[in-house]
Amino acid sequence: MAAADDRSAGALYVVATPIGNREDLSPRARRILAEADLIACEDTRRAARMLAGLQIRTPRVSYFEHNERRRTAELIDRMRAGESVALISDAGTPAISDPGFRLVRAALDAGIRVAAVPGPSAAIAALSVSGLPTDRFVFEGFPPARESARRDALKALARETRTIIFYESPRRLAATLAEMAAVFGADRPAALAREITKTFEETIRGTLGELCDRFAREEARGEITIIVGGAPEAESGTLNESAGGALTVGELIDAGLSLKQASAVIAKLTGQSRRELYQRELARRDRGEDGE
Ligand code: SAM
């Protein structure tokens, strides 16, 4: 066995499983699941179906949102006693919008080795085929279900320049796309990846306005990941110069303008709200930060 998978001491393996296509389970994941003393799974019945197909008979315990706290203590005790535990979620990578973080944290705190057995994750799979910039991105998981909280969360991202990844349920898709179009702008490029690696896999690319129109008419089905292109740099509070630099409110103040004048100039040049620029600069000063 490879050194990284040494089972002489207790360990926690965070094992990614397929998000639709069974062939995406790696040989190493399969071996770790077969050799572990215990598999902690989000849903034991769902796991039983997958493991039966692989002829894996490793004992299982449930590990899900509502028993995470209690189970974590039990699993830590077993790993301290030298057992190896493989953690899986219903699909994809555990701890990514799935249970697992608490167990990983507790294992690390207890000095137990934690090893990744990497594999599918819908977020990365969707990003990789989105056609949107992949060099810098942020993962937001599921937007809040409540409308007002969702709008606030989206507003907070309006000036995010990195590509943004969201999970969303088909039930809320139309409402979320409408809000995204309202907050980020209908022209913002986006991609919607549905049922990745499954029979009805499809990636729809277009603007948020186009996606919004389509799903206002069409019922959304299956598992969905939304990728939204980042805001153009000019909307993020800086002004790009052809030389590649960025002019900011702070820099104009350093050059001798008042806060009011600097906010007005940047507002005029970038189309942003003068008031917001003014207040952002004040907030930055309150936090004791230097100019942008
Ligand atoms: N931990 C998982 C991962 O790493 O992919 C994500 C778990 S999260 C509870 C499930 C959400 O991921 C779904 O509601 C959907 O938004 C997205 N998702 C999962 N499988 C997908 C697929 N095959 N195609 C598109 N999105 C998917």
Side-chain angles (χ1 to χ4, degrees):
M1 184 184 285
D5 297 339
D6 176 10
R7 287 175 56 215
S8 55
L12 174 65
Y13 294 97
V14 181
V15 183
T17 58
I19 56 170
N21 188 326
R22 286 180 184 189
E23 290 178 33
D24 290 334
L25 187 79
S26 75
R28 180 172 171 236
R30 185 185 177 139
R31 180 175 57 76
I32 295 284
L33 291 173
E35 292 176 356
D37 294 301
L38 191 65
I39 300 176
C41 27
E42 193 179 355
D43 179 338
T44 45
R45 272 179 302 180
R46 212 177 144 140
R49 282 196 294 276
M50 177 183 78
L51 298 169
L54 300 165
Q55 275 98 49
I56 290 174
R57 291 181 189 82
T58 310
R60 290 134 219 182
V61 291
S62 64
Y63 183 83
F64 53 88
E65 210 183 321
H66 299 292
N67 74 358
E68 247 185 301
R69 192 182 291 269
R70 176 168 56 84
R71 241 346 161 226
T72 293
E74 287 171 30
L75 293 171
I76 294 292
D77 285 347
R78 293 184 68 158
M79 288 185 278
R80 273 206 177 112
E83 291 193 350
S84 63
V85 173
L87 172 69
I88 60 172
S89 59
D90 285 350
T93 302
I96 306 301
S97 288
D98 265 341
F101 168 73
R102 189 188 291 270
L103 184 59
V104 168
R105 191 59 259 167
L108 294 171
D109 291 344
I112 293 162
R113 192 165 67 87
V114 177
V117 183
S121 184
I124 297 298
L127 174 69
S128 69
V129 296
S130 67
L132 293 165
T134 53
D135 52 344
R136 294 167 67 237
F137 59 87
V138 284
F139 174 65
E140 280 290 315
F142 290 93
R146 257 191 35 245
E147 198 181 318
S148 60
R150 184 163 63 221
R151 182 161 279 243
D152 288 347
L154 295 178
K155 276 187 182 160
L157 290 165
R159 292 202 170 81
E160 175 58 66
T161 55
R162 293 167 292 184
T163 299
I164 316 168
I165 308 173
F166 296 95
Y167 288 154
E168 189 50 295
S169 88
R171 267 183 306 119
R172 284 194 283 271
L173 180 70
T176 295
L177 286 174
E179 272 161 24
M180 285 179 172
V183 173
F184 299 152
D187 292 342
R188 186 78 77 86
L192 190 147
R194 220 173 63 82
E195 298 283 272
I196 305 167
T197 75
K198 301 188 207 179
T199 312
F200 297 106
E201 170 170 359
E202 139 180 70
T203 304
I204 307 155
R205 300 170 185 87
T207 63
L208 278 174
E210 287 163 351
L211 294 178
C212 180
D213 285 351
R214 174 163 171 173
F215 288 97
R217 286 180 273 112
E218 192 180 301
E219 196 190 333
R221 293 224 176 92
E223 298 203 274
I224 292 163
T225 300
I226 308 169
I227 313 284
V228 179
E233 285 289 333
E235 285 175 29
S236 70
T238 62
L239 175 70
N240 280 340
E241 291 170 317
S242 50
L247 193 57
T248 65
V249 172
E251 282 168 352
L252 288 181
I253 292 169
D254 288 346
L257 265 57
S258 69
L259 170 56
K260 202 170 155 192
Q261 289 167 330
S263 308
V265 170
I266 297 287
K268 183 109 187 134
L269 292 168
T270 64
Q272 292 178 76
S273 144
R274 184 165 52 88
R275 195 179 138 78
E276 261 190 70
L277 286 162
Y278 186 98
Q279 286 178 346
R280 279 222 307 274
E281 184 59 26
L282 282 185
R284 217 184 323 276
R285 287 183 185 180
D286 282 349
R287 291 194 300 270
E289 293 172 18
D290 289 337
E292 277 177 296

